[in-house]
Amino acid sequence: WHTCGPEPAAMVKYSREPETPSKTSKACGAHLRVRFKNARECVAAIRGLPLLRAKAYLENVLEHKEIIPFRRFNGKVGRKAQAKQFNTTQGRWPQKPVKMLLDIIRNAESNAESKNLDKSILVIDHVLVNRAPKMRRRTYRAHGRINPYMSSPCHVEIFLTEKAEQVKKPTELPTEAPKKKVSKKRQARERLRSGGAGFD
């Protein structure tokens, strides 16, 4: 496969542009010989994760210490105990898409270094998988027939964005008790009880 680095960025079309280009690094891969359905599940598992956690997670998947949950394309996928941590039952440890994602993440990381971004606060802000044109082969069947034997490659793109740490608002003790909301009906009743007519 080939990946899209920082130099040919003007030539490469991404599905969208980042909100803060100065704090974002991009990388993509086109026509990757990895099954689209497996790649989609791997991408869904790392979306929104911090960069360092995503790399550690994918490396754990290669060692079968953690699992990729299969939520959409899960036909005939076995049930695994490791999938419980993702509140699902089905999962796998797909090797090719995980290695491919690690390569693209490393590419985006080196692009971030060239932009002097802080690795420790980089987050996978956007990651997308699209189907690529199928590649055709043939398989030979009984009685002299021939059937198609297609591969399902994919395109992948990733944005790494610097996320500023959110400062928690200090909790101040309320000086006054919060006023209770009183409906207009109740206000009118109280006015009647106190002897007021309710109108001037």
Side-chain angles (χ1 to χ4, degrees), residues 31-33 132-138 148-153:
H31 302 281
L32 307 178
R33 286 296 296 268
K134 290 195 172 187
M135 300 177 76
R136 179 177 289 277
R137 285 182 291 168
R138 54 168 59 179
Y149 205 72
M150 314 286 273
S151 66
S152 300

Side-chain angles (χ1 to χ4, degrees), residues 86-155:
F86 302 102
N87 296 323
T88 188
T89 54
Q90 294 166 287
R92 279 181 178 167
W93 302 273
Q95 301 287 301
K96 269 181 83 174
V98 166
K99 287 174 184 173
M100 172 271 295
L101 273 177
L102 275 169
D103 283 348
I104 294 177
I105 286 171
R106 287 189 195 111
N107 187 356
E109 190 181 352
S110 67
N111 294 346
E113 281 172 11
S114 67
K115 290 177 98 172
N116 297 321
L117 301 180
D118 186 359
K119 263 200 299 190
S120 61
I121 57 171
L122 283 176
V123 172
I124 296 177
D125 184 42
H126 164 76
V127 59
L128 179 74
V129 178
N130 283 328
R131 288 182 194 268
K134 290 195 172 187
M135 300 177 76
R136 179 177 289 277
R137 285 182 291 168
R138 54 168 59 179
T139 185
Y140 300 92
R141 309 307 297 266
H143 311 296
R145 291 173 299 135
I146 289 173
N147 280 3
Y149 205 72
M150 314 286 273
S151 66
S152 300
C154 60
H155 309 306

Side-chain angles (χ1 to χ4, degrees), residues 1 32-43 46 58 61-62 68 70 93-104 154 156:
W1 60 72
L32 307 178
R33 286 296 296 268
V34 175
R35 290 190 177 179
F36 164 76
K37 292 183 179 184
N38 288 347
R40 186 263 163 202
E41 299 297 341
C42 294
V43 156
I46 63 164
L58 292 175
V61 169
L62 292 177
I68 300 287
F70 274 56
W93 302 273
Q95 301 287 301
K96 269 181 83 174
V98 166
K99 287 174 184 173
M100 172 271 295
L101 273 177
L102 275 169
D103 283 348
I104 294 177
C154 60
V156 180

Side-chain angles (χ1 to χ4, degrees), residues 161-176:
T161 305
E162 265 189 357
K163 292 282 181 186
E165 290 181 18
Q166 291 182 347
V167 180
K168 286 187 179 179
K169 193 177 178 183
T171 53
E172 294 176 5
L173 292 170
T175 50
E176 296 177 9

